[in-house]
Amino acid sequence: MSAAPAATPAHGDVVLRLQGVTIAFGGLRVLTNVSFDVPRNQVAGLIGPNGAGKSTCFNVITSVYRPDAGSVRLGGVNLVGMASHEVCRRGIARTFQLVRTFQRMSALQNVLVGAVYGKPRARDDPEARALDALALVGLADQRDRDAAHMTLSDRRLLEIARALATVPVLLLLDEPMAGLNESEIETMTAVIRRIRDQRGVSVLWVEHKVDAIMAACDHVIVLHHGEKIAEGTPAQIVSDRSVIEAYLGEPAAA
């Protein structure tokens, strides 16, 4: 039996709302009538098997793809049809599953790209904002190190810092823990919590490390074959029969 559906939050408690999002490529339907909310000042996880439509969902939110139907609202404003850079300037920043840092630039220069071009009309000092973002993710002492000489874990943190320098209200994280060891995963989890707790930034996080999602998220959405099959608290999701059958699997017998 599926967990009871989560109550729909009041609009002021929602930073992002997808309603009826549908998209197909040729004859292949990738997302079908997907609707969910990202609560304000919370960490929301987006999980599901490979091919469930998670990355496509991110690309719809950031206007890389335009959906065939449905809306994507940030603070009540429909983002569908906007250019990707305008979506960023309105307050959505993202990272990528394959790290996209500028390898021949220093950590500070990488983050300055976000500070200068992601928020071009900001009245504060872009360098100060970039340094603050580096400090938040724990890379202040590597400001002058070229990205090419940083570990994978630190480059993933660097990409998050660059996104934070755009001063987002919503941060999209695409598998930030891929390729990390246990200690690095703990560091990444702490950074994600700091982003929520110290900056009040909402987070939508795609991840295959389900234990991390369940430990760190306030809210979880599950996709399967391009459809939402569950949404709720981590406790609701891990006991949802449809999620167990589609993705989590039965726990091992004692």
Side-chain angles (χ1 to χ4, degrees):
M1 181 175 177
S2 294
T8 302
H11 194 79
D13 297 328
V14 172
V15 66
L16 184 79
R17 174 164 286 168
L18 273 66
Q19 292 182 302
V21 169
T22 298
I23 186 170
F25 301 109
L28 178 64
R29 184 75 65 87
V30 182
L31 295 174
T32 302
N33 197 30
V34 172
S35 300
F36 64 79
D37 295 333
V38 177
R40 192 174 301 279
N41 297 336
Q42 289 193 14
V43 177
L46 182 61
I47 65 173
N50 288 330
K54 304 182 297 298
S55 293
T56 299
C57 194
F58 266 27
N59 285 331
V60 168
I61 293 169
T62 55
S63 276
V64 176
Y65 300 149
R66 181 168 185 155
D68 300 316
S71 62
V72 178
R73 296 187 180 276
L74 180 73
V77 176
N78 192 359
L79 304 178
V80 172
M82 288 186 184
S84 292
H85 71 271
E86 181 60 26
V87 171
C88 176
R89 291 173 183 179
R90 283 182 175 269
I92 296 180
R94 71 172 294 180
T95 66
F96 295 87
Q97 184 177 350
L98 298 177
V99 181
R100 298 184 181 181
T101 51
F102 301 106
Q103 296 294 81
R104 296 184 181 181
M105 293 168 59
S106 70
L108 177 58
Q109 289 169 334
N110 266 271
V111 182
L112 275 169
V113 170
V116 172
Y117 295 104
K119 207 76 171 177
R121 293 179 293 278
R123 296 182 180 180
D124 62 346
D125 176 14
E127 183 169 345
R129 194 169 357 116
L131 290 170
D132 179 68
L134 283 170
L136 184 66
V137 303
L139 295 179
D141 60 346
Q142 298 198 54
R143 54 175 289 178
D144 297 321
R145 184 185 295 272
D146 284 355
H149 299 146
M150 299 173 76
T151 65
L152 171 63
S153 175
D154 285 344
R155 283 189 286 120
R156 288 199 179 281
L157 292 170
L158 178 60
E159 197 173 41
I160 292 174
R162 187 175 61 199
L164 289 172
T166 70
V167 195
V169 295
L170 174 65
L171 176 62
L172 308 184
L173 299 177
D174 195 350
E175 296 196 41
M177 296 181 176
L180 305 190
N181 62 35
E182 195 144 341
S183 172
E184 293 165 340
I185 287 171
E186 290 178 4
T187 297
M188 183 67 71
T189 301
V191 167
I192 292 169
R193 287 175 173 148
R194 283 203 300 273
I195 290 167
R196 175 195 61 195
D197 297 341
Q198 296 183 20
R199 294 295 183 270
V201 175
S202 305
V203 176
L204 180 60
W205 170 15
V206 166
E207 187 58 65
H208 281 295
K209 298 185 185 301
V210 177
D211 289 349
I213 286 282
M214 297 305 171
C217 288
D218 307 292
H219 188 76
V220 181
I221 304 115
V222 188
L223 298 182
H224 184 51
H225 293 315
E227 298 183 9
K228 185 185 80 175
I229 61 171
E231 179 176 10
T233 65
Q236 288 175 316
I237 295 302
V238 297
S239 61
D240 188 307
R241 175 56 55 182
S242 63
V243 178
I244 292 169
E245 292 175 352
Y247 186 48
L248 297 180
E250 295 286 357

